[in-house]
Amino acid sequence: MAALVNGGHVALIRHGNAPPGYGGDPPGFKIDDCTTQRNLDEVGRQQAKALGESFRNHGVRVDRIRSSPWCRCMETAHLMAVGPVESSWALVPDMNPNATARLLELKEMVSAWRGPGTLVLVTHALTVRPLIGILPDQGETVVLKPPPRQIWFGSGMGARHRLLEALAK
């Protein structure tokens, strides 16, 4: 949490606990109908509230909070209560490995961030993995410090960045 207090960082947050945990949404889910999606359970709601409380208790300044439009992400972002939440399709994983438009938009969003406060991105594990190569647990936060000039290389699956810390759930 100390890194976030200094500002200029990006907090990538995987949504709170949403059973069954892996495998995505049920067949036939609708983005505009939360009853058809995997949603936060009480543990996930408590994770989101505790994370927001930790941000406030440590004096983390959140300048912007963006979320995947999926209900579990939006609820996580709103329950953190650290600022107004904006929806962004760049935080939805590209299920087709050849479709990289969202990943490129996300890379630009992360690499362009300079603060002065923190950019909070509430998303999915399958959005984080192609960006930085790790698969975070539900409710886990990964903190990135974009370098002065971000360089993304290779097939779009790797990133030159400075991973500061993975905060425990």
Side-chain angles (χ1 to χ4, degrees):
M1 198 59 75
L4 292 177
V5 173
N6 296 326
H9 295 81
V10 177
L12 289 169
I13 300 171
R14 183 176 177 196
H15 59 77
N17 196 61
Y22 295 101
D25 288 288
F29 83 94
K30 296 178 183 140
I31 188 64
D32 60 347
D33 184 354
C34 292
T35 65
T36 66
Q37 298 179 32
R38 237 177 75 221
N39 292 299
L40 298 182
D41 62 6
E42 190 53 37
V43 170
R45 286 187 282 281
Q46 289 305 316
Q47 287 172 324
K49 291 174 186 175
L51 186 55
E53 185 175 327
S54 183
F55 274 46
R56 287 185 294 283
N57 288 344
H58 286 91
V60 175
R61 173 183 167 177
V62 175
D63 284 349
R64 191 168 191 188
I65 183 165
R66 300 186 81 183
S67 173
S68 159
W70 264 241
C71 296
R72 59 187 169 270
C73 293
M74 291 296 287
E75 185 176 13
T76 298
H78 284 293
L79 288 172
M80 286 178 63
V82 293
V85 178
E86 303 169 54
S87 177
S88 173
W89 279 88
L91 296 168
V92 175
D94 278 319
M95 299 317 283
N96 176 349
N98 297 320
T100 59
R102 290 184 194 148
L103 180 59
L104 293 174
E105 184 180 346
L106 178 58
K107 287 178 178 182
E108 177 58 30
M109 189 185 310
V110 169
S111 64
W113 187 255
R114 295 296 176 262
T118 297
L119 170 62
V120 173
L121 302 175
V122 182
T123 189
H124 310 268
L126 295 178
T127 302
V128 175
R129 183 171 53 189
L131 183 66
I132 61 171
I134 65 170
L135 196 65
D137 289 333
Q138 294 182 102
E140 187 173 18
T141 299
V142 177
V143 179
L144 301 176
K145 172 71 174 173
R149 182 170 171 267
Q150 187 73 39
I151 300 170
W152 303 97
F153 61 90
S155 64
M157 299 306 282
R160 179 175 171 255
H161 63 276
R162 188 166 158 217
L163 177 64
L164 292 177
E165 57 186 290
L167 302 176
K169 347 177 213 168

